[in-house]
Amino acid sequence: MPSLNDIRTTFLDYFKRNDHRVVDSSPLVPRNDPTLMFVNSGMVQFKNCFTGVEQRDYVRATTAQKCVRAGGKHNDLDNVGYTARHHTFFEMLGNFSFGDYFKSDAIPFAWELLTRDFDIPKDKLLVTVYESDDEAAALWKKVAGLSDDRIIRIATDDNFWRMGPTGPCGPCTEIFFDHGDKIWGGPPGSADQDGDRFIEIWNLVFMQNEQHADGSLTPLPKQSIDTGMGLERIGALLQGKHDNYDTDLMRSLIEASAHATSSDPDGPGKTHHRVIADHLRSTSFLIADGVLPSNEGRGYVLRRIMRRAMRHAHQLGAQDPVMHRLVPALVRQMGAAYPELSCAQAMIEETLRLEETRFRQTLDRGLKLLDDEVARIPEGAELPGAAAFKLYDTYGFPLDLTQDALREQGRAVDTAGFEAAMAEQKAKARASWAGSGETADATIWFDLAEAHGATEFLGYDTEAAEGQILALVATGGEIAKATKGQEVQIILNQTPFYAESGGQVGDAGVLTTASGKARITDTKKGQGLFIHLAEVLEGEIGTGQGAALTVDHGRRAAIRANHSATHLLHEALRRALGDHVAQRGSLNAPDRLRFDFSHGQAVSQAELAQVEAEVNAYIRQNSAVDTRIMTPDDARGLGAQALFGEKYGDEVRVVSMGLLDGSGKGADGRTYSLELCGGTHVGRLGEIGLFVLLGDSASSAGIRRIEALTGEGALAYLKQQLGLLSDVATLMKATPADLPVRVKALQEDRRKLENELAQLRRELAMGGNAAGPEAREIGGIKLIAQVLTGVSGKDLPGLIDEMKARIGSGAVLLIADTGGKPAVAAGVTADLTDKVSAVDLAKAAAAALGGKGGGGRPDMAQAGGMDIGGAATAIAAVEAILRGE
Ligand code: SER
């Protein structure tokens, strides 16, 4: 029985034998279609080849394309787990002709592969064609010998394939497999066509038109072919199964899920395992393609799928995070066909583990709230939208997770109520937001790109070049001329100015024409255009003029040094902390660099020091930085670090730096850092000069941020630090080297002086001598009563203790004459506290001083007064108490 991996290989090999280029699956995040959330069929990466906009060096291609249908128009999420053939992730096998062969080859290719290589009995197959497509019907008759009743003509859009409201399209023919009359269902086009007997296995689209936004349909420059066959479907068929989840690949994931949760793969938790197996694939591949869980856009679709799977794992009784433990099983199955999965394994595991750990913190409480809410509403009634919103907002339950949980009880959610609650919250947020003040309307860049094509970038090789001004844009639209003082955005046919991308900031510099001069303050990218943000300094500049373009060399050199240092930093971090370290964002500006990367905890001082030392060692190595253009395959073969979700064309730039001394682990055996990168870099590592790490901080959950300086910036920083040190040394009249010893000595001196000062104050308080005031006997009790100057209230308790110790047995009253409000403290030795309480003494004294209250224990109490003039009365009052009056 062929495995899914075998079937994929057989398909690709068949078309390779028939002169097709085997092309890699494109990343799941579309490179060339801003309207599409995820790639959802094989033709997406070839869209522009059909319309003739893009030319490649091949006209026949075949792919196994990763597809996700979980957001946007095609969304299978709700049904996954409950049906035999719904997936959020699937592979689409396809063969493509770009103006090369058409129907008369596409049909024989498909028939031969199915009936010969896959050995499917001919009498089990039937086809549909578009109603008016006599040519396709005749070909099926001729090539396959199908009888007329097995060539079904369909008039509806089912047999006219469109990728969307615009784009290439055409009639199609679909091949069906008949599972026999034991299964209910009718042939396509019949009333019972939704039954499971006749299953569509392959769609062959005869691309011949382009659909335009205004509804018109024009012929394509050349007739083309786009076919699509779901691997899971054909796999089930060839493995004699009816259910895609019973194929070897899906089954192994289901068993991994059963094993990890110690449950029966076919028991009551069967649906849970199916959801987990499917969602494991979509989430892992999305993460490998650079999508991270977040609360918006693609990241939120990923989060929804992840959390949906995590709830199902929870239903299986899992006590700890499960999903990350299943990744090795997935990599075993699919890592060979999709190397990006193996490369990103550590990152996928880390991302899943973090998300599940976090979600588990609210999952239980959310489910409890859901149960409570459900208990409150009548049987079968919808869950109120407000409750679903609370689950979303407070407990992190995506709406479809709540719907999925309720589905098991046959209940739905009031989605209109949910949307209303969401809209209300958004309206509040919008009301408190000031706005970003965007200027030029983005559509203008679309129009200009269409009119002029993409800007050619010359800046890898030169910092000065000539270009032609194609357009000037000011607020309000295109202008013909810009004069002194005016701010304008300039489009040229070519430029040495780097436009901000990949974390590297845009270039600045000067533009000069025969009639004027402008300062370029920044450069940005839009629709393939390099947009130069400028201010006219002299004269005027106009469209059609030739312009001399000069990049600010010092600024660019500093940016280059920072960007190259970022690559060294990335590799040093991977080596110090582990392979899970992956770039999550970066900034390469003239004055600093910033690097965000996935790592769960703070980086220690020792690790930072190691990383800094390693980067500096490679800078001193001063080896040449090598930039090569190669295919993404070759780059991966070398082990290049890449964000697989990034836009990489047929050719990628691979930047390699640093030579290993033989002890390292560079994938090509000698290079330290290898990255796919479109940025500008130093020629030799020594140009970076110096690398100083400023520190590590948390950027967001699971992401750390390192900031660092290079070259002159690093030197200036160190100089400034040394300057501070030298200022301190001058103040200390010492050399910097002596400072640690001197500062320590100073601290010790200060401690000593503080002790001495305290002692002196006590002595002073006690009448200027260590012996202190004399005690008198009052009512048979020894009393020291004294007014002290030069002490504060907080000094009194210590002095009371000291005097109590001195008299052995007796009472003490101290009044601090502070210059302001006097403070009082009284003490009674332990042997006398049952006769006299210090609290009474303090209260009586305070009253005589015009104060109120007093508190403490019988052996020690404190109070405050208002007027020191009452001191003698206070002492008399205490004496009276001792006398028992
Ligand atoms: N584009 C067609 C489909 O998605 C054939 O690949 O069915």
Side-chain angles (χ1 to χ4, degrees):
M1 191 174 71
S3 66
L4 256 58
N5 282 323
D6 297 335
I7 296 166
R8 187 192 305 109
T9 306
T10 305
F11 183 96
L12 297 175
D13 283 353
Y14 174 82
F15 284 104
K16 191 174 172 187
R17 273 203 313 279
N18 286 288
D19 302 323
H20 290 63
R21 174 78 60 85
V22 181
V23 177
D24 266 355
S25 169
S26 72
L28 282 164
V29 177
R31 297 164 176 180
N32 56 359
D33 192 338
T35 64
L36 213 53
M37 172 88 58
F38 298 119
V39 168
N40 57 12
S41 79
M43 58 78 66
V44 172
Q45 67 165 316
F46 301 119
K47 184 179 135 185
N48 295 334
C49 301
F50 291 120
T51 52
V53 170
E54 188 185 341
Q55 310 290 334
R56 302 204 180 180
D57 63 350
Y58 48 84
V59 288
R60 295 178 174 202
T62 182
T63 59
Q65 172 67 47
K66 304 178 279 190
C67 297
V68 163
R69 291 191 177 174
K73 214 161 52 216
H74 298 281
N75 184 358
D76 287 348
L77 185 60
D78 295 348
N79 288 320
V80 169
Y82 303 99
T83 66
R85 278 177 286 279
H86 280 100
H87 303 275
T88 56
F89 176 92
F90 64 96
E91 292 176 76
M92 193 177 265
L93 303 171
N95 57 293
F96 307 89
S97 149
F98 312 118
D100 185 43
Y101 62 85
F102 199 46
K103 293 179 198 181
S104 59
D105 287 306
I107 288 177
F109 279 148
W111 187 251
E112 185 181 48
L113 174 61
L114 289 178
T115 57
R116 203 193 64 194
D117 296 64
F118 285 154
D119 205 19
I120 298 175
K122 294 180 180 172
D123 60 357
K124 295 271 186 198
L125 297 171
L126 64 158
V127 301
T128 59
V129 295
Y130 193 51
E131 191 182 37
S132 55
D133 197 350
D134 297 332
E135 192 189 350
L139 278 166
W140 278 119
K141 201 164 185 164
K142 183 172 143 221
V143 172
L146 292 179
S147 54
D148 286 341
D149 62 326
R150 285 164 62 214
I151 304 174
I152 301 167
R153 289 177 186 250
I154 303 278
T156 65
D157 260 9
D158 278 356
N159 275 61
F160 195 95
W161 193 88
R162 287 180 172 83
M163 77 171 292
T166 59
C169 55
C172 62
T173 180
E174 294 187 329
I175 305 171
F176 284 73
F177 182 82
D178 178 1
H179 277 279
D181 57 12
K182 283 190 201 59
I183 295 175
W184 177 79
S190 72
D192 297 336
Q193 67 172 355
D194 289 339
D196 246 6
R197 175 171 166 183
F198 296 91
I199 300 295
E200 183 222 322
I201 52 173
W202 201 348
N203 184 15
L204 278 48
V205 183
F206 308 128
M207 291 287 196
Q208 56 187 36
N209 300 105
E210 184 170 359
Q211 174 89 54
H212 299 279
D214 62 4
S216 62
L217 209 60
T218 53
L220 285 178
K222 286 176 181 165
Q223 293 175 321
S224 296
I225 291 293
D226 150 37
T227 85
M229 170 156 70
L231 174 63
E232 295 73 11
R233 250 180 216 212
I234 187 74
L237 196 158
L238 296 179
Q239 294 181 359
K241 310 287 187 201
H242 193 67
D243 188 323
N244 293 2
Y245 287 82
D246 290 334
T247 54
D248 65 312
L249 197 159
M250 295 309 291
R251 185 70 197 170
S252 73
L253 301 180
I254 286 171
E255 272 162 15
S257 162
H259 180 74
T261 52
S262 309
S263 55
D264 180 354
D266 304 308
K270 186 172 164 191
T271 303
H272 301 315
H273 293 305
R274 293 160 69 98
V275 172
I276 290 169
D278 172 87
H279 291 8
L280 172 69
R281 297 213 303 168
S282 44
T283 54
S284 299
F285 274 99
L286 285 171
I287 296 166
D289 279 349
V291 183
L292 272 186
S294 77
N295 285 335
E296 56 198 32
R298 299 189 170 101
Y300 191 55
V301 176
L302 170 63
R303 171 161 282 164
R304 281 164 48 206
I305 307 174
M306 284 170 127
R307 295 195 165 186
R308 192 171 185 266
M310 288 160 188
R311 187 191 69 86
H312 281 275
H314 183 268
Q315 296 294 99
L316 287 166
Q319 298 299 317
D320 296 306
V322 170
M323 294 299 286
H324 69 287
R325 288 167 50 207
L326 308 180
V327 176
L330 176 64
V331 171
R332 265 198 303 282
Q333 284 291 332
M334 303 190 72
Y338 297 97
E340 65 269 33
L341 199 64
S342 315
C343 292
Q345 181 171 349
M347 192 169 71
I348 297 167
E349 289 177 0
E350 184 74 5
T351 308
L352 284 170
R353 196 181 56 74
L354 269 177
E355 179 77 9
E356 196 162 0
T357 307
R358 208 166 302 137
F359 184 44
R360 278 184 160 272
Q361 289 161 5
T362 55
L363 181 60
D364 274 328
R365 278 184 290 142
L367 288 173
K368 164 102 177 47
L369 178 95
L370 184 59
D371 285 347
D372 293 349
E373 290 287 341
V374 165
R376 221 177 289 156
I377 54 177
E379 187 88 9
E382 285 187 340
L383 180 78
F389 185 72
K390 183 163 186 199
L391 282 167
Y392 160 82
D393 200 34
T394 313
Y395 298 100
F397 279 36
L399 177 62
D400 41 43
L401 185 152
T402 304
Q403 288 170 319
D404 191 38
L406 290 174
R407 177 184 179 134
E408 291 153 18
Q409 307 171 16
R411 285 181 192 272
V413 176
D414 166 17
T415 46
F418 176 87
E419 298 301 342
M422 177 80 101
E424 193 183 324
Q425 195 193 50
K426 281 198 180 138
K428 275 189 205 148
R430 203 172 303 127
S432 60
W433 183 67
S436 72
E438 275 296 306
T439 48
D441 180 352
T443 57
I444 198 164
W445 307 123
F446 282 93
D447 297 343
L448 286 173
E450 209 164 88
H452 301 295
T455 313
E456 195 180 337
F457 178 55
L458 310 171
Y460 290 130
D461 308 313
T462 176
E463 290 178 4
E466 294 208 350
Q468 197 157 32
I469 299 178
L470 299 177
L472 298 172
V473 177
T475 321
E478 263 196 86
I479 52 173
K481 276 186 187 144
T483 49
K484 185 174 171 179
Q486 203 171 347
E487 286 188 3
V488 64
Q489 304 181 20
I490 309 172
I491 306 295
L492 298 127
N493 66 333
Q494 57 181 24
T495 181
F497 282 73
Y498 184 83
E500 177 185 335
S501 61
Q504 180 175 331
V505 300
D507 276 334
V510 177
L511 173 148
T512 319
T513 71
S515 57
K517 186 172 173 182
R519 177 171 53 224
I520 312 285
T521 51
D522 197 358
T523 312
K524 301 208 180 273
K525 224 185 246 183
Q527 302 304 313
L529 298 172
F530 282 47
I531 305 163
H532 302 75
L533 279 55
E535 186 198 343
V536 182
L537 296 177
E538 291 168 19
E540 61 174 37
I541 58 170
T543 50
Q545 281 191 305
L549 302 155
T550 314
V551 174
D552 177 339
H553 169 72
R555 188 173 175 278
R556 163 74 88 79
I559 297 169
R560 265 201 302 260
N562 280 333
H563 199 159
S564 299
T566 298
H567 284 214
L568 293 177
L569 170 65
H570 185 184
E571 185 58 25
L573 285 167
R574 267 167 34 86
R575 286 170 188 251
L577 307 178
D579 283 347
H580 62 276
V581 167
Q583 176 163 345
R584 284 293 178 233
S586 68
L587 172 71
N588 295 298
D591 58 338
R592 75 208 145 102
L593 68 91
R594 194 175 70 206
F595 185 69
D596 291 355
F597 58 101
S598 46
H599 185 55
Q601 70 236 36
V603 188
S604 72
Q605 284 305 322
E607 287 163 338
L608 289 175
Q610 179 190 339
V611 164
E612 190 180 52
E614 185 159 302
V615 170
N616 277 302
Y618 278 98
I619 292 171
R620 289 191 302 275
Q621 188 185 62
N622 195 26
S623 53
V625 173
D626 180 36
T627 303
R628 278 174 286 170
I629 305 289
M630 54 180 85
T631 66
D633 253 357
D634 291 345
R636 272 196 296 262
L638 284 176
Q641 292 295 311
L643 282 180
F644 279 88
E646 276 286 323
K647 178 181 190 302
Y648 299 118
D650 280 348
E651 291 185 336
V652 290
R653 293 179 88 240
V654 178
V655 179
S656 49
M657 48 182 80
L659 298 176
L660 292 169
D661 59 5
S663 60
K665 59 168 186 177
D668 68 349
R670 59 180 197 95
T671 305
Y672 177 67
S673 153
L674 264 170
E675 284 197 36
L676 300 198
C677 178
T680 60
H681 287 277
V682 295
R684 299 190 82 90
L685 291 180
E687 289 167 39
I688 301 171
L690 178 64
F691 175 80
V692 174
L693 250 170
L694 294 180
D696 152 83
S697 61
S699 160
S700 58
I703 312 279
R704 306 296 304 177
R705 167 168 292 182
I706 280 187
E707 295 192 271
L709 304 171
T710 66
E712 273 183 35
L715 192 63
Y717 172 79
L718 292 184
K719 277 258 181 230
Q720 185 217 19
Q721 299 289 308
L722 286 173
L724 289 174
L725 194 65
S726 135
D727 288 352
V728 176
T730 309
L731 283 174
M732 297 283 292
K733 297 193 177 43
T735 63
D738 288 341
L739 276 182
V741 173
R742 290 289 303 274
V743 170
K744 211 157 168 234
L746 209 60
Q747 283 171 333
E748 260 161 35
D749 278 357
R750 189 192 154 104
R751 243 193 317 276
K752 243 175 28 215
L753 287 174
E754 275 172 354
N755 288 342
E756 274 174 33
L757 182 64
Q759 179 63 23
L760 284 173
R761 283 165 79 174
R762 268 199 299 277
E763 284 175 12
L764 196 65
M766 289 190 244
N769 67 65
E774 286 302 310
R776 291 172 286 141
E777 276 235 4
I778 310 284
I781 295 173
K782 271 195 250 171
L783 170 70
I784 291 178
Q786 184 85 12
V787 176
L788 307 174
T789 50
V791 296
S792 70
K794 67 178 179 349
D795 295 324
L796 294 181
L799 292 167
I800 294 270
D801 283 344
E802 219 168 282
M803 294 193 196
K804 268 162 59 180
R806 192 172 317 149
I807 53 179
S809 170
V812 183
L813 173 71
L814 297 178
I815 300 170
D817 179 0
T818 60
K821 291 179 182 173
V824 177
V828 175
T829 52
D831 57 322
L832 298 177
T833 49
D834 51 351
K835 290 200 196 109
V836 192
S837 166
V839 178
D840 294 340
L841 302 186
K843 274 184 178 164
L849 289 162
K852 271 201 206 105
R857 304 182 312 257
D859 63 338
M860 160 80 75
Q862 281 179 276
M866 298 299 287
D867 179 10
I868 193 67
T873 324
I875 294 171
V878 166
E879 288 174 356
I881 293 176
L882 296 187
R883 277 195 298 269
E885 284 168 12

